[in-house]
Amino acid sequence: MKDETIICRCEDVTWGEIRQALEKGYTTLDEIKRVTRAGMGRCQGKTCQKIILGEIAKFCHKKIEEVSISTFRPPTKPVKLGTLAGDDDD
Amino acid sequence: MMMIKRADIVIIGGGIIGCSIAYNLAKMGCKNVVLFEKNSLSSGATGRCGAGIRQQFGTKTNCILARESIKIFENLSQELEYDIELNQGGYLILAYTEKEVNQFKKNVALQQSLDINARFINVEEAKDIVPPLNTEGILAATFCPTDGHADPFKTNFAYAEAAQRLGVKIYTFTEVNEIGTENNKIVAVNTDKGKLLTPTVINAAGGYSGVIGKMVGVDLPVYSQRHQILITEPIDPLFKPMLMSFSRNFYCQQTPHGSIIMGFGDPNEPKGDDIESSWQFAREMAQKMTKVVPLLKEVSMLRQWAGLYNVSPDAQPILGEHPQVGGFYMAIGFSGHGFMLAPVASKLISELILTGRTSLSIEDKLDIGRFKRGELILEPSVL
């Protein structure tokens, strides 16, 4: 993979940034998310999380199922504050 | 297994308080500092906080601490060689009641007497500062242009990495489960990865500081309480300052990244360490903020989370050595302001440990003994 390859499309995070985080010792999904913002955008990691999990597994010589995932944060998809507030009829 | 067997100072907690103390101790020349974090860095309250930095408090102690903290924040990116994304867009605190108007006049007089550049302003000026503000019900406001925002993750990683460059050893995913004492003095710390001898422990465990206190047999006068936050999708710049109200109970700020972060303190929230998110919070938060800034109705919430306040009896931090256990220092009870006060609090506690006094000479206002002496001066301006 090239350093310029975009891994997190919502937050424009490249493979280079994720590789650097791994090399600094940030080897959990939560840490990589906090250092690079990968997975914090509009899709909340639905696109990039699997790719990053795979790369963490490779980097740490683990099986992908041994790498813990991030805490799920509601809601599942973006909701307008007006809708949440309950006045979407006006 | 632990790589080393002995440390001059052990810090418990890898949040902003622990990491900033590690950095300051090392910067002051302390050679053998070890930090233990049971999870990853910023996994507790630091990574869950509202990220605001303000000087507009109602007690002299909090004002002085916050003023000194901002001074450090202003040069922190250079000092730590890491961009912490400091953005000084100010805090606009809205008064909705006559009681608040009177309190805010007192607060501003106090702040100005301490060289904090806050001012009392009318509704028109508030509207000029935040054009999309719905001014209905607002009587007046206070504004401090040097208040603002920084990225809590980046600030914490900045401190942690700078501390490590100065020789501090940080062990993440390492949980302290026992603290050894002899003749009421600290002698050792036991973790799930091994034991370490040390004469000094700093309790920087935030929401879990009470648990650490129990390990040396003391009841600390703090409790933990869940506070919830939500964040929206990033949008074009809408307003610069943090918007805040105590009576309407909210705070809301657009980050440099464009997303808008908001929270409030539920007065019925029980004490404890629950950090589950609730649907009711998201709904009430949306109802509150879409009234204050109606344009927000069209903006989408992306995610919500919760973290723990560690609350002290006067909503001011407790810094200092415990009178019953020699070598047991506390940096706890920040009451929701740990991130914004960390730069100064970490400097003061490091000075206290290494020299016995602080450069601000306010150690007697921050020690745990103040509650027994009956010097309780309640902070009026907290959420």
Side-chain angles (χ1 to χ4, degrees):
Chain A
M1 202 158 19
K2 285 184 190 160
D3 268 3
E4 310 82 76
T5 305
I6 304 272
I7 302 293
C8 169
R9 287 186 279 179
C10 303
E11 294 289 335
D12 264 349
V13 184
T14 62
W15 163 242
E17 291 171 75
I18 289 168
R19 184 183 51 74
Q20 280 171 16
L22 284 167
E23 284 165 3
K24 264 187 177 178
Y26 299 114
T27 55
T28 64
L29 200 58
D30 272 337
E31 288 170 301
I32 288 173
K33 177 176 154 186
R34 292 177 194 139
V35 173
T36 66
R37 291 197 63 86
M40 282 190 173
R42 207 174 157 85
C43 89
Q44 291 291 288
K46 288 190 193 74
T47 317
C48 63
Q49 200 173 73
K50 271 190 195 157
I51 304 169
I52 301 171
L53 278 175
E55 292 304 323
I56 293 173
K58 239 192 266 175
F59 187 86
C60 299
H61 306 291
K62 282 181 180 174
K63 288 180 187 161
I64 194 159
E65 54 271 27
E66 290 168 352
V67 182
S68 51
I69 57 167
S70 286
T71 312
F72 167 72
R73 305 258 187 243
T76 309
K77 57 183 236 179
V79 186
K80 280 187 180 173
L81 292 180
T83 307
L84 264 178
D87 62 357
D88 48 343
D89 295 327
D90 58 25
Chain B
M1 271 306 291
M2 201 70 64
M3 303 298 283
I4 52 171
K5 298 288 172 211
R6 192 179 292 273
D8 292 338
I9 297 177
V10 168
I11 299 165
I12 303 174
I16 190 77
I17 300 297
C19 291
S20 60
I21 293 172
Y23 168 74
N24 274 288
L25 285 170
K27 184 184 162 195
M28 288 178 71
C30 197
K31 292 289 176 216
N32 192 355
V33 180
V34 170
L35 184 149
F36 292 127
E37 162 56 50
K38 69 174 175 176
N39 199 308
S40 53
L41 299 181
S42 314
S43 56
T46 298
R48 298 161 188 274
C49 78
I53 304 168
R54 69 169 154 126
Q55 299 156 92
Q56 298 182 74
F57 281 97
T59 69
K60 192 176 171 187
T61 302
N62 270 341
C63 283
I64 292 172
L65 289 175
R67 180 194 69 199
E68 295 304 311
S69 213
I70 288 265
K71 283 185 198 162
I72 301 172
F73 266 118
E74 285 173 343
N75 291 307
L76 205 54
S77 291
Q78 293 94 306
E79 183 178 343
L80 302 178
E81 298 167 38
Y82 198 128
D83 183 8
I84 63 160
E85 293 183 5
L86 176 70
N87 177 46
Q88 290 171 290
Y91 258 56
L92 184 69
I93 306 185
L94 306 166
Y96 283 94
T97 67
E98 282 299 336
K99 196 180 156 209
E100 279 186 306
V101 170
N102 294 331
Q103 180 68 50
F104 288 6
K105 282 181 180 162
K106 277 187 216 161
N107 288 358
V108 166
L110 172 72
Q111 290 151 12
Q112 289 178 347
S113 76
L114 296 168
D115 294 324
I116 294 169
N117 60 346
R119 60 184 197 269
F120 191 84
I121 62 173
N122 61 26
V123 179
E124 289 69 36
E125 200 177 340
K127 180 90 179 163
D128 282 346
I129 295 169
V130 177
L133 181 68
N134 171 17
T135 56
E136 193 185 325
I138 298 173
L139 303 178
T142 64
F143 185 64
C144 178
T146 50
D147 290 350
H149 172 281
D151 186 310
F153 295 123
K154 292 189 172 172
T155 310
N156 198 30
F157 292 129
Y159 269 122
E161 290 178 14
Q164 286 170 309
R165 289 197 295 271
L166 293 171
V168 174
K169 305 256 186 327
I170 295 180
Y171 295 90
T172 54
F173 301 101
T174 304
E175 184 167 3
V176 172
N177 47 33
E178 213 179 330
I179 299 172
T181 57
E182 265 171 34
N183 304 321
N184 298 319
K185 285 196 177 88
I186 299 281
V187 291
V189 170
N190 200 39
T191 76
D192 56 0
K193 305 267 170 65
K195 189 177 174 182
L196 197 62
L197 297 176
T198 185
T200 309
V201 164
I202 304 171
N203 182 359
Y208 308 96
S209 58
V211 179
I212 303 300
K214 290 212 168 60
M215 289 182 191
V216 294
V218 295
D219 255 331
L220 299 174
V222 288
Y223 65 87
S224 294
Q225 190 176 39
R226 175 180 71 166
H227 275 248
Q228 301 193 63
I229 288 181
L230 70 78
I231 195 159
T232 72
E233 60 190 332
I235 58 167
D236 288 340
L238 185 62
F239 56 93
K240 278 187 184 159
M242 173 79 93
L243 286 172
M244 192 172 191
S245 162
F246 302 112
S247 60
R248 297 277 171 108
N249 189 5
F250 64 77
Y251 60 86
C252 175
Q253 185 172 42
Q254 186 167 24
T255 68
H257 167 263
S259 49
I260 299 172
I261 188 166
M262 54 186 85
F264 68 89
D266 182 348
N268 299 315
E269 183 67 42
K271 294 174 184 176
D273 59 5
D274 171 24
I275 50 167
E276 289 292 311
S277 299
S278 80
W279 171 249
Q280 292 83 351
F281 163 79
R283 185 177 168 81
E284 195 176 336
M285 189 77 249
Q287 286 168 344
K288 277 176 193 279
M289 286 326 297
T290 53
K291 281 197 189 90
V292 182
V293 182
L295 276 175
L296 289 175
K297 282 181 190 172
E298 295 305 315
V299 181
S300 289
M301 158 187 175
L302 281 194
R303 66 179 173 276
Q304 65 176 121
W305 64 89
L308 296 176
Y309 272 27
N310 187 236
V311 184
S312 77
D314 57 5
Q316 298 177 122
I318 300 170
L319 294 178
E321 191 174 18
H322 197 281
Q324 284 151 21
V325 186
F328 184 58
Y329 286 84
M330 287 154 299
I332 62 172
F334 284 85
S335 310
H337 310 116
F339 174 62
M340 63 178 83
L341 296 180
V344 69
S346 56
K347 183 168 171 255
L348 296 179
I349 189 96
S350 301
E351 291 168 350
L352 200 58
I353 292 169
L354 298 179
T355 71
R357 50 170 47 181
T358 68
S359 53
L360 287 177
S361 302
I362 55 171
E363 47 271 32
D364 60 331
K365 300 281 188 284
L366 297 168
D367 71 328
I368 198 166
R370 69 182 186 266
F371 307 116
K372 280 207 173 128
R373 295 194 299 269
E375 294 166 0
L376 202 65
I377 302 168
L378 279 175
E379 168 57 62
S381 299
V382 284
L383 270 187

